[in-house]
Amino acid sequence: MQEARLYNKLEGGIAHCYLCAHECRIAKSKFGLCGVRENQGGLLYTHAYGNVVAAHVDPVEKKPLYHFLPGSKSFSVAIAGCNFRCGFCQNWEISQAPVKLGESLGLIEDEFTPEALVDEALSNDCASIAYTYTEPTIFFEYAYDSAKLGRERGLRNIFVTNGYMTKACLKEIAPYLDAANVDLKFFKDSSYKKICSASLAPVLDSIKLMVDMGIWVEITTLIIPGINDSDEELSEIAKFILSVGKDVPWHISRFHPDYKFNGYLPTPEETLKKAQAIGEEAGLSFVYAGNVYGFGNDTLCPLCKKRLIRRDVFKVTELNIQDSKCLYCQSLVPGIF
């Protein structure tokens, strides 16, 4: 364990954690909502440093990031735990696992140091490290040290996140964070509270702040039938993204029943097409469909409308961008290429 960052010591031995927007006030011998930050004798410690529960080489398109080094590989890591309680989580076995169950989850026995992580990324010809699968905010100290070292050795860094971090957290990591895919799950605070044990406003604030900081941002919304698939809610999401920037890509992803949402049906393809049309009609330049095959994956030039990137699921099969410009009309393509 290491002493945590971003907390204050309060009277009575209480630790005020301001890493995420829950801002837990943690009594002695207790954990925060994330399940990995523990108050020991008035000091806050993280159990999430180096205890990697998943490590894979992924295409960056799987994050999903479609405008960030397309066709490249990203070394992806996770540590057990999360600051949300989403009933539809598809990585719930690791995201909702108490830290005490870490060994039964197959944690790497020897601590996976930032140095080892960076070495693995480089040896696998990865262009970036992605902190993903669970919520990277809750293993901030490990992500920060790894991102800083990775940047020094030529790697980019990615957060795949629920966006529920504080402004202080973002300010700390921003110098080393190149891109983020943020889950904007709903546009109703009541849905965030009921389904995720969280709130909407901090997520919106994080998205706006990341864009202002120059971090490349793409947004994902998992469309769940009967929950967030109304024209009204999809339009509200599209309008918000437009207010942040018309060139911020929006990934509308197909839901598959899992965890506590096994009783729901998969998202119909017609709903994804409807959401895509809503986004485009709102004025968004790039709206993509995920978890579905046959449509919604390619990138078109906003100006001349010719195909810039052809994708077969997560594989880039055609790339018509050079020096961040469309090969056909020479207009600048938003993103990092």
Side-chain angles (χ1 to χ4, degrees), residues 182-233:
V182 183
D183 282 336
L184 181 50
K185 300 175 187 292
F186 319 101
F187 214 76
K188 293 179 180 177
D189 192 61
S190 58
S191 297
Y192 264 98
K193 284 183 167 64
K194 180 180 179 180
I195 299 173
C196 304
S197 300
S199 300
L200 171 62
V203 181
L204 303 183
D205 290 343
S206 290
I207 290 171
K208 290 185 282 189
L209 184 56
M210 286 183 193
V211 172
D212 289 343
M213 288 175 164
I215 298 165
W216 177 255
V217 173
E218 303 191 21
I219 293 172
T220 294
T221 302
L222 184 71
I223 308 295
I224 307 173
I227 300 292
N228 62 350
D229 61 345
S230 69
D231 289 9
E232 179 183 4
E233 188 157 2

Side-chain angles (χ1 to χ4, degrees), residues 2 4-6 17 19-20 34-37 46-54 75-83 94-95 112 114 117 129-147 158-161 165 169 173:
Q2 288 198 8
R5 300 172 66 165
L6 300 175
C17 175
L19 174 66
C20 90
C34 63
V36 302
R37 293 163 80 81
T46 173
H47 288 262
Y49 199 95
N51 293 322
V52 171
V53 69
F75 197 85
S76 303
V77 293
I79 290 175
C82 189
N83 55 354
I94 56 176
S95 71
F112 199 34
L117 171 57
I129 299 173
Y131 309 89
T132 180
Y133 305 137
T134 59
E135 174 50 47
T137 302
I138 64 106
F139 56 95
F140 173 80
E141 292 80 6
Y142 180 66
Y144 178 91
D145 288 350
S146 300
I158 298 165
F159 268 20
V160 180
T161 174
M165 64 279 287
C169 172
I173 195 69

Side-chain angles (χ1 to χ4, degrees), residues 22-221:
H22 287 300
E23 296 213 27
C24 296
R25 284 162 171 78
I26 307 168
K28 290 181 180 179
S29 302
K30 299 295 183 180
F31 284 83
L33 188 145
C34 63
V36 302
R37 293 163 80 81
E38 182 184 17
N39 184 333
Q40 294 190 356
L43 300 178
L44 192 63
Y45 287 89
T46 173
H47 288 262
Y49 199 95
N51 293 322
V52 171
V53 69
H56 303 284
V57 176
D58 287 335
V60 74
E61 285 77 16
K62 192 176 180 180
K63 301 304 104 188
L65 286 171
Y66 278 14
H67 290 243
F68 184 81
L69 306 179
S72 69
K73 294 185 292 184
S74 186
F75 197 85
S76 303
V77 293
I79 290 175
C82 189
N83 55 354
F84 274 20
R85 296 292 179 264
C86 306
F88 52 83
C89 182
Q90 300 193 352
N91 289 327
W92 61 272
E93 295 95 338
I94 56 176
S95 71
Q96 302 303 310
V99 69
K100 299 297 185 184
L101 296 181
E103 291 183 4
S104 67
L105 291 170
L107 289 175
I108 296 172
E109 292 183 5
D110 297 323
E111 185 179 53
F112 199 34
T113 65
E115 291 80 6
L117 171 57
V118 171
D119 286 344
E120 282 291 312
L122 292 171
S123 66
N124 281 281
D125 298 320
C126 294
S128 61
I129 299 173
Y131 309 89
T132 180
Y133 305 137
T134 59
E135 174 50 47
T137 302
I138 64 106
F139 56 95
F140 173 80
E141 292 80 6
Y142 180 66
Y144 178 91
D145 288 350
S146 300
K148 183 177 180 181
L149 181 60
R151 174 67 66 80
E152 291 171 357
R153 297 182 62 184
L155 291 166
R156 306 289 186 100
N157 295 287
I158 298 165
F159 268 20
V160 180
T161 174
N162 58 32
Y164 213 64
M165 64 279 287
T166 61
K167 185 176 181 179
C169 172
L170 272 178
K171 283 187 172 181
E172 288 257 346
I173 195 69
Y176 310 107
L177 186 61
D178 299 283
N181 185 292
V182 183
D183 282 336
L184 181 50
K185 300 175 187 292
F186 319 101
F187 214 76
K188 293 179 180 177
D189 192 61
S190 58
S191 297
Y192 264 98
K193 284 183 167 64
K194 180 180 179 180
I195 299 173
C196 304
S197 300
S199 300
L200 171 62
V203 181
L204 303 183
D205 290 343
S206 290
I207 290 171
K208 290 185 282 189
L209 184 56
M210 286 183 193
V211 172
D212 289 343
M213 288 175 164
I215 298 165
W216 177 255
V217 173
E218 303 191 21
I219 293 172
T220 294
T221 302

Side-chain angles (χ1 to χ4, degrees), residues 313-335:
V313 190
F314 299 129
K315 184 179 180 181
V316 172
T317 60
E318 184 180 337
L319 182 63
N320 296 308
I321 299 173
Q322 187 172 7
D323 298 327
S324 297
K325 293 181 181 179
C326 169
L327 283 179
Y328 301 103
C329 70
Q330 298 303 305
S331 61
L332 190 65
V333 183

